[in-house]
Amino acid sequence: MKSLLLLALGLARTVVLGARIEAERIVVSVRPYKREQRRCPVCGRACDFYDMANRGAPRLWRAMDLARSACYLEYAPCRVRCPEHGVRTEAVPWARHGARFTRDFEDWVAWLAVRCTASAVSELARVEWHSVGGVCRRVYAELEAARGASRFDGVRRIGIDETSYKKGHKYVTVVVDHDRGCLIWAHEGTGKDVLNLFLDELTREQRRAIEVVTADGARWIRQLVKRRCPNARWVMDPFHVVQWMNDALDAVRCEEWNAARAAARAARPRPEGKRGRPAKGELPPEEVRALEEEAASTSRAAATRS
């Protein structure tokens, strides 16, 4: 049974002590290997015992579900005294420091968060929606530390855009790396002050290494990029170029359609003293019919080009 739980939960360097069912959840009692106990959660070194955390009360970590039931790992950690980082709660091999979820559970939630909304992930994983953000921060911090280099290193071609979210006029400024095809920075709000926050995070060498910046036609973005990234060439964002071209074509289409429809209406004969639309079954003359067909074809051709 214990071996089955170890395999099902993907636990490493961990001993399963037992399991029980409480209401609609499964609680598995565990402990780290002897050599993994009393370690600093920051540097990982073995430290001296200080005291029991929370007076020895066991803690629960949410793990992956078992048979559609929520599963929790139970353990009573102690506090250790690290010569470098002071008094800390000992590290556990199944979870990241400061997390109340297991490592596998957080990796799964972070994977879902990339592909779903926070509310959908919250409902599927059965956690509070604000916990999803904390999970993503911890997973991202670990990935950054493992990579060793800053996400701004090697950035040469970036794109800057402002997009809305939720309902109402709420915007977020995003910066993407065109070479890697990924998001490298985002912050709530728009304008010079927000974009300066991104540029302030770059070193002088990183700003001078930027070669191309794509953005919309906002003049303030162009001026700010020219001032703070002297070697960068400002390029109009192709998305906005296509959008403006479609808007212009749509405006021309509407003008052509209205002009053709007005010409057809003016050419339609009206009996003296009669106003309004023609009676049902009344056919217009050939020249009127030709003008109406021309108006319809003009509208279809313009719609096809846009």
Side-chain angles (χ1 to χ4, degrees), residues 170-189:
K170 296 183 179 180
Y171 295 90
V172 60
T173 300
V174 297
V175 181
V176 299
D177 184 355
H178 288 309
D179 294 325
R180 289 181 292 175
C182 64
L183 177 72
I184 59 174
W185 190 85
H187 196 281
E188 186 176 4

Side-chain angles (χ1 to χ4, degrees), residues 195-247:
L195 186 56
N196 269 319
L197 294 177
F198 163 70
L199 296 174
D200 290 340
E201 293 190 30
L202 303 179
T203 63
R204 183 173 180 270
E205 290 73 18
Q206 289 172 339
R207 290 196 299 269
R208 296 179 65 87
I210 296 178
E211 301 173 355
V212 176
V213 176
T214 62
D216 57 20
R219 183 178 300 176
W220 66 268
I221 296 181
R222 185 174 185 177
Q223 294 174 348
L224 186 60
V225 168
K226 184 178 180 180
R227 179 168 58 87
R228 303 207 58 184
C229 303
N231 298 327
R233 182 163 55 94
W234 180 81
V235 180
M236 187 75 72
D237 192 333
F239 171 81
H240 291 91
V241 172
V242 174
Q243 183 184 39
W244 296 332
M245 181 185 68
N246 288 335
D247 292 342

